[in-house]
Amino acid sequence: VQAEASRVRAELEYALNVTRTVAATLTVAKEQKELALTREGVNAIIKKVLAENLQFVAFYSDWEPNAFDGRDQEYGGKPGYNPDGRFNFTWSRGEDGEIRSDVTQPGDEEVADWYQAPKRALKEAIIEPYPYNVQGKEVLETTLAVPIIVKGEFVGMVGADLKIDFLQKLAD
């Protein structure tokens, strides 16, 4: 039992460390104007992290309105964006292993624990397992969420979703 618990802990710590690293990178880029990242650049980073971490079912970054670059209005309704143009890139992995871009539903950030927990606490959170639709299939998953904090203010978050069945696979 101790060995299985250690493996589960190591798996969660690894996923949390990856998520922390991306959040720290985005924080530095936001604080240092000369390191400005574009929406397209961050989107590519998010996709690459998901591609290289097969245990993740999704990887994403969601930001407060206009907090990323102040250009939400320009992006409203464009392909890959909600009508509000808010910076929120999500990449998910389907059962077939295919990686696709997903658009967060408008208002999800205002009610979902994966966004609200790190926003309220200003610290990382592990969200209790919940059912979620990933590429048309409902899966039971948990989220590791890390806030992006600039000058003491929450501006966004980075999240990694893990299917809960990975615990069973580790135990087996």
Side-chain angles (χ1 to χ4, degrees):
V1 174
Q2 185 84 16
E4 287 83 8
S6 292
R7 286 202 321 258
V8 168
R9 181 177 182 176
E11 191 73 29
L12 288 173
E13 283 180 358
Y14 173 80
L16 193 51
N17 284 335
V18 169
T19 308
R20 284 176 181 144
T21 300
V22 173
T25 301
L26 296 177
T27 299
V28 168
K30 183 68 180 164
E31 291 173 338
Q32 311 271 334
K33 300 296 182 199
E34 65 275 7
L35 298 178
L37 291 174
T38 64
R39 290 174 180 236
E40 295 76 17
V42 174
N43 195 18
I45 290 168
I46 299 296
K47 183 178 181 183
K48 180 78 168 167
V49 169
L50 178 64
E52 292 184 354
N53 290 279
L54 300 177
Q55 71 277 33
F56 295 175
V57 69
F59 198 74
Y60 47 93
S61 184
D62 276 273
W63 291 61
E64 290 286 277
N66 283 310
F68 183 76
D69 59 8
R71 298 173 58 197
D72 290 0
Q73 190 172 19
E74 290 177 46
Y75 287 89
K78 288 187 177 180
Y81 289 92
N82 287 327
D84 64 9
R86 192 167 172 170
F87 183 101
N88 53 14
F89 290 119
T90 299
W91 288 90
S92 66
R93 182 187 326 278
E95 289 295 315
D96 58 1
E98 184 179 346
I99 293 176
R100 291 187 218 154
S101 175
D102 290 331
V103 176
T104 304
Q105 295 304 310
D108 274 1
E109 297 93 345
E110 306 313 320
V111 297
D113 283 344
W114 52 263
Y115 191 83
Q116 290 298 317
K119 180 179 179 176
R120 282 190 304 267
L122 296 180
K123 59 184 179 180
E124 38 195 58
I126 298 177
I127 307 305
E128 285 189 35
Y130 57 96
Y132 198 75
N133 187 315
V134 177
Q135 295 187 18
K137 183 169 192 235
E138 191 167 278
V139 298
L140 189 61
E141 65 183 33
T142 188
T143 296
L144 308 177
V146 177
I148 300 168
I149 300 169
V150 176
K151 297 179 184 166
E153 183 180 331
F154 176 87
V155 296
M157 57 78 69
V158 175
D161 292 348
L162 302 166
K163 281 191 203 177
I164 292 303
D165 65 357
F166 89 94
L167 296 171
Q168 184 62 48
K169 289 176 185 172
L170 285 174
D172 291 346

